[in-house]
Each structure stands twice: as structure tokens, then as C-alpha cells.
Amino acid sequence: MDKETSNAELHKETQTTEVVGKPERKRHPSMLEEQISIFNSLEYDPQKHARVLVLYTGGTIGMCWKNGAYCPEPNFLVDAIKRYPHLHDSSYATVFTPDVDLQPLVLPDCHEPKTILYYVKEYDPLLDSSNMTAEEWSNIAKDIYDQYEAFDGFVILHGTDTMSYTASALSFMLENLGKPVILTGSQIPIFEVRSDGRDNFIGALVLAGCYKIPEVCIYFNHKLLRGNRSTKVDNSAFDAFDSPNMKPIASVEIKIYVDTDSIFRPHKLNKFAFMTNMIQNVAVLRLFPSITASTVKYFLRDPIAGVVLQTYGAGNGPQKRKDILDAFREATDRGVLIINISQCSRGVVNPSYETGQALLECGIIPGHDMTPEAALAKLSYVLGKTEWDYQQKRAMILQNLRGELTVKQSRQLSIIDADLIEAVAQVMQVSSSEEMAALRRVLYPSLICNATRSGSIATLESLKSAGANLRVGDYDGNTALHIAATNGLVDVVKFLIDNGANIFAEDQWGYTALDNAVRFDRFEIIRILRAAGAHLKQSPTKIASELCYTAAKDEVDRLRSFYFAGANLDQEDYNGCTALLTAVRHRSVSCVKFLVGVCESSISQKDRCGFTPYSEAERMKDKDLMYILSHIPPKIKQTESGGKLNGSP
Ligand code: ASN
């Protein structure tokens, strides 16, 4: 009996006690949309709740034992989850709606600042991950894209066998990702007594909902790994995944430890997008000592477009095998992209031997310390970028696009680092390197916030080169980006975004940099943040209340700020009142003028007593307002990047 079989036998034996009954009813496909619309209900509060969308693709986690094998069971998981008190707080869920079918799933309190509400979208068909293809990756990417603004994070329930491939592929396909996407699964189905699935699922939900780690990750056996660094290393242990060339980003123990310094910081943020043109003519070729030239030539024939070449040690190949080297050279001359990665799971490709140099001279690109899964995904992605020519594609393979490879950083000691921190260390009699590191962690956020406040990009640069993490917030959770947005420091905001600032970071009151920019009417900063993918997180009804309050006070610039930030100015507040109707009632003339230029439905909308803005103006006998409301100008088009910023409509 091999390991896999004995594992299956074990499952079979342990299964029966906890498997719950089969549900009577199939879930309606539109149910998810209806459930999501409940998010906008009065009870949902982004400061108290985190929202996670779970995309359930299949895998052992939801499988049942049938006819002597494990297979995915449709329409089973959600009803089962609802019966596990550790996975769902059914009494909390009734707060949102009494309709059980529309209620969110609620993760019971787990001592995090927010309660996690989650929704499961089950794929049809559910798949063992060995059956997954690039088509499924595209479906996942599209679902994340479609629901990006409605959720704080995403969990993908997935089989373990190809989880690292999917995680690697998604890390490239999801461009400018600003929210966590966490894949997890299990070795034993979640319905079984000894399942690892419950812990994995709960950990993934907590990390996706409450920790702002804007990366595609794998969470398994208490470790959060960067997805494109991960690989499945064990098919029978709970500790099934590792990232051999990178420490875990987080570990979930009694406390959750996140290594914030290791979170990937992109160089430039744009609006979140997804790419699905993954080229499938890529493959792995593993060298072995007597491989024949004809095998290599056959392998490299058309239609192959990209090859991950697994070489020996630090990237070495048979330098004396001219026939093989010629085959490689001939392929790269034809435009085939070949990446050199090592057969060793740890270490970097480093052409310091003649044998490595020989491959380099054939046009083979060093793959640094990428995993085979990441190298394949990167090839598919780069080859699919029609806007890049061959040289750009080669250059992109060498670049660190999503944290998939290690780039050596020269750490220069800056004046700030050397002088101030050393001086404080001396006064405090700090001696060990651990204490010194702890001191830096405490001092850097304050230094960063100070430098930001004074608009000193040079100081920020020097802090960054000294190893400071510009994403980290101070004791209030205020990040440099919050401060720059509040103070209208356009250049600093641009610098921070170019240096990987987290546009979704919240201060301790739940405000993001975009909220601050709106509250201080920083139009240009709102535009920059929107272009980088930021969006308002409050529920539309709550935003509508603020809009009404703003309209009542005739604060037209604040209305503009909300408009540029993407708020729907036609939205009704709790009383069914719109900003336009409120502006009319309070004779806020400049707000009425602005709103008639940008609103659609609220111009003719009746409130609960049957008044439209015009009939209200008539009732108030306000001739000016009646004139404005009967001369509606053509609508101003909201631009992609957040609206028309110059001049008023
Ligand atoms: N064969 C399963 C899958 O990858 C293995 C698992 O999930 N543990 O779907």
C-alpha cells in the first residue's frame, strides 16, 4: 500500500462520524448577487465588518468518499459549513436579514478587530485540481475582478495538487492587486473529524479579511506563503507546502505574526486589472546526464514558445555537449524564451561556472531563484503580452514582477539611520542586533510620518534605502499615504504610490487615504488614488447620508470630492432622500447647480412623500431653484481616473 492509498484508507475510516446530511435544495446561481446586495443594508459597517468572497473551485477540502474514491460533491459544502459553530455564527447572521438563504456566513469572533462576513461562490463543475487548466484560472481572475470593490479579500478553496500553479499564475494575471487573495485547501475533507481543512479555512478567512496583504498567497498548516514562491512538498503531511527560497509572510500561532517587511511592494500602482491571455505553449525540460540532442531538439520544435530548463546546481548545463547547446541557441534565435532554473529547490541560478556561462551564451535567461511553477506562469504571462516585443519580454523575465524572485538590495546606511537611530540606541544602551532591529521598527514609522508631513521626498528615499518600510503605519494606523493625502502633498503621494504604498491601508478609525483626501477636498490626490485603484469602502447608503449632510450645508467642494472619488450621487440615504432633494430643501444653490450637472435619476425621483426636487422648489416658491431645476445641463462624463477635475459642472 503506497502513501496515497494508505492516506485514502485512513480518510475512509475516519470519515463517518462527522459527515453531515446531504442538502435538500440546490442553491440558486443568482443567490450570490442577492446576498451581496444585502451588504448595502443598514447593518453592514465597514469599521466593524470585513467582507471576504470565497471562490470554491474543488479539491479534497470539499470532497466525499464515493464508490471507493474521493470526488467533489456539488451543493454540499455551504450547508455543511452552516452547521459548524466554528465556521458560522448563525445568530449573528440574522442581524443582516431573517432570510437564511440570503444571510452571509459569519466567522465567530476570533479576537480580531473586525467580524468576518463571507460568501461562497461554488464553481460548476467542482474539480480535483489535477483537472484545472488556464481556463479555470481565467474564471477565478474574472470573478475577483467583478467583485473587487465589494470585498476586502478573497479566499480560493482549491485542491492542493496544483495549488502552487494556480497561485503562481494568478499572481501574474491579477495586475496591480491591492487586496489579499489567499488559496487554501486541505489534505483531509473538511467534513471529517481529523480534517486540517477547518483550520486552513479559518486562517485563510482571517488573513484575507483582517490583514492587508495585497498578494496572492497560499495559507496552509499555519503558514502564509507567497503564492509564486510556494511548492507542494508533501502529499501526505499536513505541512504540505513550502516556499524554499523565502520565509513565510505570516505564521498563525496563538498570535498572528506578519513579517510586514516581506510583503511585496510594487513599483507602480495602477487600477486593478486582470490578464487572461496566458500562452499555453510552455513546458519544463529537466536535464539529466545523458539526455540526447534529438530529444532536446524535438522538445524545442514549434509550437513551443517558452521553456523552463531545469539545470544542475547553480544553473549549470553540459558545456561540452555542443549538439545540445546548438539546439538551445537555434531555439532562442527563433524567439523561444528559455529560462534557466535550478533542479535544487533552494538557491539561486548564478552563472559563476563555465557550465552556467555556456547556457547564458546560448541566449538562455537566468531565472534566479524562481520555482518551476512560477517560472512557467511567468513565461505564459510574459508571452501573452502582445504589447511587448521580444527584447522587452526577455527583460521582463529578468525583472521581479510580483516578488517571484529575489533581487539583491544594497543596503546603504543613511545619515538618518547612522546618526539618529545609533544615537538613540546609545542613550538607551541598546546593544544586541535584535534590540537594534526592534528600535528601528519603532522609530521608522514616526520618522516616515514626520518626513511625509514636511514633504521631504529626499528623507523618505533615504529612510527607504536604510531599510524602512514605507507602508507601515504609526500608533494610530496612519500611514505616510494617509498623511500625504490629508495634507494635499501631491508629489509625496505619487512617490509613495510608486514605492508600493498600500492604498487600502486603514487607520484605527477605518479611514483610508482616499477617505482623507475626500474629507480635505484634495481633488488632484483623489484623482491619483483613483487611478491607482483606490475606491470608497463605506456602504452606498452611508455615503448617501454624508452627501445629504454635505448638501444641507451647501459644501459643494465636498460633493465634488465624493463625485471624483466614485460615489454615486443619485444614491438615497436611509430615509429615501437624495443629495439633490436635500440641497433643494436647504436652498443650497451651489450644490443644486452642481448636482443637476452630474445626477441622473435623482432629478426626477420622488421621496417617500411623493416630492421631486422640482415640486419641492415649487412648494417652497423658490423661483431661482425652479429655474435651475428646469434647465438641466448636459451631463459631465466621469473620466476613468475619477472625473473632471478642473472647473465646475
Ligand atoms: N487531489 C486533490 C486535489 O488536488 C488533493 C487535495 O486537495 N489534497 O484536488
Side-chain angles (χ1 to χ4, degrees):
M1 198 187 274
D2 67 12
K3 239 181 186 181
E4 289 270 278
T5 329
S6 60
N7 206 19
E9 288 301 322
L10 168 79
H11 292 180
K12 203 167 55 175
E13 279 160 24
T14 55
Q15 174 197 2
T16 39
T17 27
E18 218 181 325
V19 170
V20 278
K22 209 171 170 347
E24 318 74 46
R25 167 182 42 78
K26 191 168 162 61
R27 303 183 78 72
H28 194 271
S30 67
M31 207 174 270
L32 183 73
E33 271 89 78
E34 275 188 67
Q35 285 180 321
I36 289 168
S37 74
I38 301 288
F39 275 163
N40 298 334
S41 75
L42 307 185
E43 314 311 328
Y44 163 68
D45 177 351
Q47 274 153 40
K48 279 204 314 220
H49 302 125
R51 297 164 298 177
V52 177
L53 178 62
V54 179
L55 300 175
Y56 170 36
T57 67
T60 297
I61 191 159
M63 288 190 187
C64 294
W65 184 262
K66 256 190 179 172
N67 307 325
Y70 275 111
C71 50
E73 180 69 35
N75 305 309
F76 195 83
L77 184 74
V78 173
D79 293 79
I81 285 175
K82 286 191 172 171
R83 293 177 224 182
Y84 288 116
H86 280 79
L87 293 175
H88 179 52
D89 182 340
S90 53
S91 56
Y92 199 123
T94 56
V95 168
F96 298 95
T97 166
D99 184 339
V100 181
D101 281 337
L102 294 179
Q103 285 168 358
L105 292 159
V106 181
L107 193 67
D109 182 20
C110 40
H111 308 293
E112 292 295 333
K114 294 187 183 183
T115 300
I116 292 165
L117 313 180
Y118 63 107
Y119 291 83
V120 180
K121 174 169 182 173
E122 179 170 314
Y123 283 24
D124 181 18
L126 292 169
L127 292 177
D128 184 295
S129 72
S130 305
N131 289 318
M132 301 261 303
T133 64
E135 196 184 321
E136 278 76 39
W137 300 342
S138 297
N139 292 341
I140 297 171
K142 182 168 182 316
D143 279 338
I144 293 174
Y145 181 81
D146 287 346
Q147 299 298 343
Y148 190 68
E149 295 206 353
F151 290 90
D152 297 295
F154 300 85
V155 167
I156 302 168
L157 294 180
H158 196 290
T160 56
D161 290 344
T162 66
M163 195 185 283
S164 292
Y165 288 92
T166 303
S168 298
L170 287 176
S171 76
F172 294 106
M173 293 165 81
L174 301 175
E175 298 174 335
N176 307 303
L177 182 65
K179 300 186 178 189
V181 172
I182 300 180
L183 289 97
T184 194
S186 71
Q187 296 284 55
I188 301 181
I190 200 162
F191 321 111
E192 296 188 18
V193 178
R194 288 188 49 236
S195 175
D196 51 333
R198 286 181 292 270
D199 266 7
N200 287 344
F201 188 32
I202 292 168
L205 285 170
V206 170
L207 288 162
C210 299
Y211 292 78
K212 305 233 169 309
I213 301 172
E215 293 204 30
V216 177
C217 298
I218 285 186
Y219 178 71
F220 219 87
N221 197 41
H222 310 290
K223 290 183 295 192
L224 185 74
L225 309 174
R226 176 169 299 155
N228 57 33
R229 294 293 194 134
S230 70
T231 193
K232 185 170 176 181
V233 291
D234 201 320
N235 66 14
S236 53
F238 288 147
D239 198 9
F241 287 88
D242 192 11
S243 54
N245 283 315
M246 185 188 162
K247 283 198 284 188
I249 294 177
S251 59
V252 174
E253 293 162 42
I254 291 178
K255 283 187 177 168
I256 296 181
Y257 299 96
V258 180
D259 179 5
T260 42
D261 285 346
S262 72
I263 296 174
F264 180 61
R265 286 163 243 169
H267 292 299
K268 181 99 194 131
L269 265 186
N270 277 316
K271 261 199 160 48
F272 174 61
F274 71 107
M275 186 274 204
T276 51
N277 184 31
M278 296 288 273
I279 299 299
Q280 291 171 38
N281 290 324
V282 296
V284 182
L285 177 63
R286 186 177 170 100
L287 289 182
F288 62 93
S290 57
I291 191 167
T292 65
S294 52
T295 307
V296 173
K297 276 189 203 148
Y298 202 85
F299 189 92
L300 295 173
R301 280 187 345 178
D302 209 39
I304 200 85
V307 174
V308 174
L309 182 68
Q310 282 199 289
T311 58
Y312 313 124
N316 300 314
Q319 153 228 6
K320 296 204 165 136
R321 295 285 306 276
K322 193 170 168 312
D323 50 355
I324 290 182
L325 295 184
D326 285 346
F328 287 140
R329 192 169 301 110
E330 192 273 323
T332 56
D333 286 349
R334 261 192 292 128
V336 177
L337 290 178
I338 308 182
I339 308 185
N340 179 359
I341 66 156
S342 173
Q343 293 179 11
C344 304
S345 53
R346 270 203 183 88
V348 184
V349 162
N350 169 10
S352 50
Y353 291 89
E354 282 181 319
T355 41
Q357 283 289 339
L359 295 177
L360 204 59
E361 280 156 19
C362 296
I364 296 175
I365 311 163
H368 297 265
D369 53 353
M370 273 191 281
T371 60
E373 293 91 331
L376 273 172
K378 190 172 185 178
L379 265 179
S380 296
Y381 173 76
V382 167
L383 284 163
K385 284 279 182 185
T386 43
E387 63 271 37
W388 293 340
D389 64 19
Y390 178 67
Q391 282 314 326
Q392 274 172 302
K393 286 177 182 165
R394 285 183 62 91
M396 286 302 164
I397 297 284
L398 282 166
Q399 262 189 38
N400 179 20
L401 300 180
R402 305 281 195 276
E404 72 281 5
L405 51 86
T406 310
V407 191
K408 281 265 165 296
Q409 273 173 353
S410 56
R411 194 182 170 284
Q412 309 148 7
L413 273 187
S414 69
I415 296 173
I416 295 168
D417 199 34
D419 287 2
L420 180 62
I421 298 185
E422 303 288 351
V424 174
Q426 271 174 29
V427 172
M428 292 173 70
Q429 299 190 348
V430 168
S431 53
S432 73
S433 58
E434 287 81 18
E435 285 173 329
M436 197 65 200
L439 185 61
R440 279 202 182 89
R441 273 199 299 280
V442 174
L443 290 186
Y444 276 154
S446 308
L447 293 174
I448 291 167
C449 290
N450 245 320
T452 304
R453 196 75 228 242
S454 57
S456 172
I457 292 176
T459 312
L460 286 173
E461 250 160 3
S462 121
L463 277 163
K464 188 184 164 214
S465 65
N469 181 349
L470 301 182
R471 298 166 64 97
V472 172
D474 68 3
Y475 56 89
D476 265 344
N478 246 323
T479 63
L481 193 62
H482 281 93
I483 294 167
T486 304
N487 292 285
L489 302 167
V490 173
D491 290 341
V492 182
V493 167
K494 284 186 189 154
F495 169 82
L496 291 168
I497 287 180
D498 289 350
N499 284 279
N502 181 359
I503 51 169
F504 294 114
E506 290 171 22
D507 66 15
Q508 66 154 317
W509 296 279
Y511 291 117
T512 62
L514 181 63
D515 292 324
N516 287 9
V518 168
R519 283 190 295 164
F520 289 89
D521 302 329
R522 307 294 187 194
F523 296 161
E524 179 59 10
I525 289 175
I526 295 171
R527 190 189 64 75
I528 296 167
L529 289 168
R530 290 281 289 154
H535 60 82
L536 295 171
K537 290 182 69 190
Q538 306 286 332
S539 77
T541 325
K542 282 205 175 129
I543 293 175
S545 308
E546 277 197 60
L547 293 173
C548 290
Y549 181 72
T550 306
K553 292 199 295 168
D554 205 11
E555 289 181 355
V556 69
D557 274 349
R558 187 61 42 82
L559 283 185
R560 280 201 182 94
S561 296
F562 273 112
Y563 174 65
F564 299 142
N568 172 11
L569 301 194
D570 282 310
Q571 175 74 36
E572 297 169 24
D573 77 352
Y574 304 119
N575 275 323
C577 200
T578 62
L580 181 58
L581 190 62
T582 314
V584 170
R585 285 198 174 127
H586 287 79
R587 295 185 207 279
S588 304
V589 179
S590 35
C591 281
V592 174
K593 278 188 185 159
F594 169 72
L595 288 166
V596 293
V598 294
C599 286
E600 304 269 356
S601 59
S602 52
I603 292 174
S604 53
Q605 191 165 320
K606 290 181 179 158
D607 72 357
R608 288 185 185 155
C609 305
F611 287 109
T612 63
Y614 186 84
S615 67
E616 188 68 10
E618 213 173 23
R619 191 177 65 86
M620 290 157 60
K621 298 190 179 56
D622 191 320
K623 293 232 162 56
D624 290 344
L625 288 179
M626 283 163 67
Y627 180 84
I628 299 168
L629 288 162
S630 53
H631 292 80
I632 309 291
K635 294 287 160 280
I636 305 260
K637 274 246 172 310
Q638 175 92 319
T639 65
E640 259 296 286
S641 53
K644 182 172 179 293
L645 295 182
N646 303 319
S648 56

